[in-house]
Amino acid sequence: MQLLKQKKINYNLLDDDNKEIFLYEINNHLLMGEKPSEFFENIVDVPLMQKHPFHMLYNLTKAEQSPVHHPEGNVWNHTMLVIDNAAKEKHKSKNQKVFMWAALLHDIGKPDTTKIRKGKITSYDHERVGAVLAHEFLSEFITDELFIKNVTALIRWHMQILHVVKVMPFADIKAMKKETDIHEVALLGYCDRMGRKDPDADKEKQNIDMFIKKCREFEE
């Protein structure tokens, strides 16, 4: 097993000139940590997390969710559960780096889209907004446009599992299949659904199977 390099870094002392070092550490723990959330919980309150572009992650701590669908709490809590599940499942992905970054940033659009409608907390269209913000975040450091495109595509389409399985008007299998791999969407979607308090793994696996079946049967 590949071990994390142990670096004595005081994250509280990092400033704007050290953003690349901070990103490297995030990437390192995201890809190689067995439980990445432990690292992220340690850095969430360091000053650099409130600077651009890391503030997009910090804002997840202030975005509340529906207690019915997300009893685990705010978007940050949810994301921590998702990346830990993703770390367990990443060996199934065709591109683990794309997959893990998509898991980390999948709900980055929720802070900007969360509203209370008729007494309920909603975040409609957060996947579209999230794809735009994820592009902005990654473009701050990365010049690999294909990598960014693949990450943002997974974020853009990660809600399609719900839309396709429930035959909702937002389902768009044709457009999704043109931009990304349905199996990668399915894997991210499974980790997303498991990133909740006391999830029903069997039920979620059934939903994933149904999603893949419907996508395969779709005729353009």
Side-chain angles (χ1 to χ4, degrees):
M1 181 181 69
Q2 192 172 16
L3 298 177
L4 291 171
K5 294 179 180 178
Q6 296 300 314
K7 294 189 174 185
K8 294 182 179 180
I9 296 177
N10 186 338
Y11 297 107
N12 283 296
L13 298 180
L14 296 180
D15 56 22
D16 285 354
D17 294 330
N18 305 123
K19 285 183 177 180
E20 288 77 11
I21 294 175
F22 199 45
L23 182 80
Y24 171 81
E25 289 296 298
I26 288 175
N27 184 70
N28 190 37
H29 286 268
L30 194 62
L31 296 183
M32 293 193 288
E34 293 184 359
K35 193 174 181 181
S37 66
E38 293 179 347
F39 167 75
F40 284 93
E41 293 290 10
N42 284 332
I43 66 168
V44 65
D45 291 320
V46 303
L48 198 52
M49 278 291 282
Q50 297 188 42
K51 300 289 187 67
H52 181 81
F54 303 109
H55 73 284
M56 298 183 199
L57 289 174
Y58 180 77
N59 287 344
L60 302 183
T61 66
K62 298 182 287 185
E64 296 303 321
Q65 301 183 111
S66 166
V68 175
H69 302 293
H70 289 279
E72 71 280 2
N74 62 36
V75 182
W76 176 266
N77 293 341
H78 166 64
T79 299
M80 293 300 98
L81 292 172
V82 172
I83 60 175
D84 283 351
N85 276 285
K88 297 176 184 177
E89 301 290 335
K90 68 177 185 287
H91 65 281
K92 300 176 183 178
S93 173
K94 295 178 181 178
N95 189 320
Q96 294 186 16
K97 185 176 180 180
V98 167
F99 177 68
M100 290 304 299
W101 273 99
L104 176 65
L105 303 176
H106 80 284
D107 276 349
I108 203 170
K110 279 190 173 180
D112 287 351
T113 58
T114 298
K115 296 180 180 179
I116 297 179
R117 294 179 173 88
K118 298 180 179 179
K120 296 181 180 180
I121 301 174
T122 65
S123 54
Y124 297 144
D125 221 26
H126 73 273
E127 64 272 31
R128 288 179 183 271
V129 174
V132 174
L133 293 177
H135 187 281
E136 179 183 348
F137 183 103
L138 295 171
S139 296
E140 188 80 10
F141 308 99
I142 299 170
T143 57
D144 186 344
E145 285 297 329
L146 180 58
F147 169 76
I148 295 175
K149 179 181 178 181
N150 289 336
V151 172
T152 56
L154 281 181
I155 293 170
R156 164 64 184 88
W157 297 106
H158 80 274
M159 290 296 293
Q160 282 294 297
I161 295 167
L162 174 67
H163 299 160
V164 169
V165 170
K166 293 195 173 184
V167 196
M168 300 174 73
F170 310 108
D172 193 346
I173 297 174
K174 181 178 180 179
M176 174 179 59
K177 291 176 76 172
K178 285 183 177 180
E179 293 187 16
T180 190
D181 186 320
I182 62 171
H183 296 283
E184 295 295 306
V185 174
L187 187 61
L188 177 59
Y190 175 72
C191 295
D192 185 16
R193 300 296 297 181
M194 291 299 291
R196 290 163 169 76
K197 184 178 179 181
D198 300 323
D200 187 335
D202 291 336
K203 178 182 177 181
E204 300 308 337
K205 288 178 180 177
Q206 290 175 5
N207 285 333
I208 295 302
D209 290 342
M210 179 61 69
F211 167 74
I212 293 176
K213 181 175 184 292
K214 285 179 176 287
C215 289
R216 286 176 174 170
E217 292 174 348
F218 176 78
E219 295 183 4
E220 297 184 8

